[in-house]
Amino acid sequence: SQFFRIWGVLGALALLLAFGRWSPLYVAFVKLTRFYSFRVPAKFLVFFCFGFAMLGGMGFQVLWQGRLTQAIMRRAFRALLAILTIYAAAMIFANGLLTFGRDMVLKLGEAYVMRFVYAQPGHPHSLESYLANMKAYSDHILKVLSWDDPTNISAAIMALFCVIFVWILLRKKVIKRSLLCVGVLFLVVDLYVAAFQDMK
């Protein structure tokens, strides 16, 4: 529908802008408009989260009103599996790279610091401090990607619940509102826990 396209495009554009100088869209926008006062591009993640929250609300509205078709559910199930597969593959790749290819990553990071950071305008610190920060940052990323991290465990549980939930909806001919209430309750609890953890 039109609203789905609007919020989907808004979320996708916000995500691309949130990457800052690592995004061609952000770089092109800044160079075309010559507006350099964004300061922290990550603020666009707010619009990304809002856009996909609207998409989630539209999905639950469709479920609640019973306007769901098996064809839509099959496409949703395939899309969900594709997203989870890409996410899991990225996690495994990054974890393996930082674990088994740590020396290579540190050498690439050192080359990047020497070429683009050290002795450049706006970077007054010593080379040792930049290299120490780079190593600490790689250790932090590895800790965040750890399989025993509580956040990753809760994300895996949520992903498994979503797969089971969509699979049940795909198997049922009639959508029961009690099942949807369980989904809404899970969504509220998950958002509350996630928001609480982020604030901490």
Side-chain angles (χ1 to χ4, degrees), residues 78-152:
R78 287 194 295 267
L80 178 61
L81 290 180
I83 292 172
L84 293 178
T85 301
I86 294 173
Y87 175 75
M91 286 277 293
I92 293 172
F93 175 77
N95 211 317
L97 184 63
L98 291 174
T99 301
F100 303 105
R102 177 178 173 81
D103 293 338
M104 182 188 68
V105 172
L106 291 179
K107 287 181 181 178
L108 290 175
E110 183 176 349
Y112 176 82
V113 169
M114 293 290 293
R115 174 66 178 82
F116 297 104
V117 179
Y118 176 63
Q120 296 296 320
H123 299 281
H125 303 292
S126 65
L127 177 62
E128 291 75 15
S129 65
Y130 287 122
L131 294 179
N133 288 334
M134 179 195 64
K135 293 179 181 178
Y137 189 67
S138 64
D139 292 337
H140 177 71
I141 293 177
L142 186 60
K143 182 180 178 181
V144 170
L145 297 178
S146 175
W147 297 110
D148 57 355
D149 185 85
T151 303
N152 292 333

Side-chain angles (χ1 to χ4, degrees), residues 56-92:
M58 291 171 59
F60 267 106
Q61 183 179 19
V62 170
L63 290 172
W64 190 263
Q65 294 176 351
R67 294 187 284 110
L68 194 65
T69 64
Q70 294 297 100
I72 293 177
M73 283 308 304
R74 282 193 292 270
R75 288 199 298 268
F77 189 67
R78 287 194 295 267
L80 178 61
L81 290 180
I83 292 172
L84 293 178
T85 301
I86 294 173
Y87 175 75
M91 286 277 293
I92 293 172

Side-chain angles (χ1 to χ4, degrees), residues 9-23:
V9 170
L10 174 64
L13 290 178
L15 180 62
L16 290 175
L17 290 173
F19 282 113
R21 62 176 179 166
W22 304 108
S23 169

